[in-house]
Amino acid sequence: MVKKIDHIGIAVHSIDQARVVYEQALGMTCTGEEVVESQKVRVAFFAIGETHVELLEPTDRTSPIAVFLEKKGEGIHHIAYEVDDLAAQLAQAKDSGCRLIHETPVPGAHGKRIAFLHPGSTAGVLTELCAKG
């Protein structure tokens, strides 16, 4: 079952440049940064209540974020939903006809397990499902 919106991922060319807007113009505080090797991305986190904005900067030109930036430029990359049981939610999505990008979860930021649903199956929105540990 989907519990909440966990975060909104925003693709940027440079976290250092983009965070100025979030910190100075919006008055938000960066709560941390992390490199997620499985996604070839550097992530900066900004908390808004229980939800986060994640700035995503590619660490490699073959990163999905690098490909996104080349095709579409900076902007919203995905919306992530926290779920109770990631395997069960993936099975439900697949059974309902969703195309899965990840058949099995992969490591994500904050020690979470993640999996993506293809935007062609989710009204054009890249959708991430995530679960703790």
Side-chain angles (χ1 to χ4, degrees), residues 1 13 19 24 29 38 56 63 74-75 88 107 112-113 115:
M1 180 174 98
H13 292 289
R19 73 185 285 166
Q24 293 179 11
T29 301
S38 70
L56 308 164
S63 163
E74 294 183 312
K112 293 180 181 177
R113 295 173 304 114

Side-chain angles (χ1 to χ4, degrees), residues 106-126:
V106 298
H110 291 293
K112 293 180 181 177
R113 295 173 304 114
I114 65 170
F116 283 92
L117 306 181
H118 195 281
S121 299
T122 55
V125 177
L126 180 60

Side-chain angles (χ1 to χ4, degrees), residues 1-9 45 50-52 54 78-90 102 104-117 127-133:
M1 180 174 98
V2 172
K3 294 169 56 173
K4 67 177 183 176
I5 293 176
D6 185 75
H7 66 270
I8 298 169
F45 310 98
E50 291 186 20
T51 302
H52 287 86
E54 293 186 355
H78 68 272
I79 296 178
Y81 299 97
E82 183 179 313
V83 299
D84 288 319
D85 183 335
L86 187 51
Q89 196 69 52
L90 283 171
H102 298 108
T104 59
V106 298
H110 291 293
K112 293 180 181 177
R113 295 173 304 114
I114 65 170
F116 283 92
L117 306 181
T127 300
E128 177 183 336
L129 302 175
C130 61
K132 295 177 184 175

Side-chain angles (χ1 to χ4, degrees), residues 43-77:
V43 185
F45 310 98
F46 296 83
I48 304 172
E50 291 186 20
T51 302
H52 287 86
V53 169
E54 293 186 355
L55 301 182
L56 308 164
E57 175 187 311
T59 58
D60 184 277
R61 63 183 182 84
T62 63
S63 163
I65 296 300
V67 172
F68 179 89
L69 287 166
E70 187 175 311
K71 288 182 180 179
K72 297 185 179 185
E74 294 183 312
I76 294 175
H77 179 260

